[in-house]
Amino acid sequence: MKTFQTLSDLAACTGQEVAVSDWLTITQQQVNLFAEATGDHQWIHIDPEKAAAGPFGTTIAHGFLTLSLLPKFFESSMEIIDCRMGVNYGLNKVRFTAPVPVGSRLRARMTLLSAEPIEGNGLQMAWNVTVEREGADKPVCVAESLVRRYP
């Protein structure tokens, strides 16, 4: 866990890999709950028996489930002491580059691309987030995430 006292301290890391999150295991229960929440009940996600004979040999996480874990990855990897809140501002680019079989362990590497002052003494940051699957040759998701933080 990286700790920064102020937003300025974090902004000074622009252009660097700032943090790597903890590993997180993807469970079938998470996938099923995500399917319920989003209405995406495709068999490759929720039917282990049918998925065993499918293209991935098992059920896989929804790409958007993987993407929705970005806040968790940030939370487990860094803390800003003099910051009262943060909000997701959007995404510039997202690619789901490989499947995430249920039971996979994922983590994220966060590189700070830019940090710009915004109204309210805040900071808008663009992050390159690369989500890795343990033991895999390539990432499962690469996203440019926009986050706003306020002191």
Side-chain angles (χ1 to χ4, degrees), residues 85-105:
M85 69 170 232
V87 294
N88 295 315
Y89 190 63
L91 300 157
N92 284 338
K93 184 177 181 180
V94 177
R95 295 292 181 265
F96 303 114
T97 51
V100 176
V102 166
S104 296
R105 286 177 19 115

Side-chain angles (χ1 to χ4, degrees), residues 1 3 7-8 36 41 43 48 54 62 82 85 105 117 138 145:
M1 166 87 64
T3 301
L7 290 170
S8 295
E36 283 301 311
H41 298 281
W43 61 269
H62 304 73
D82 294 336
M85 69 170 232
R105 286 177 19 115
K138 67 182 195 174
S145 174

Side-chain angles (χ1 to χ4, degrees), residues 47-62:
D47 188 338
E49 187 175 305
K50 190 171 181 180
F56 307 110
T58 188
T59 50
I60 61 169
H62 304 73

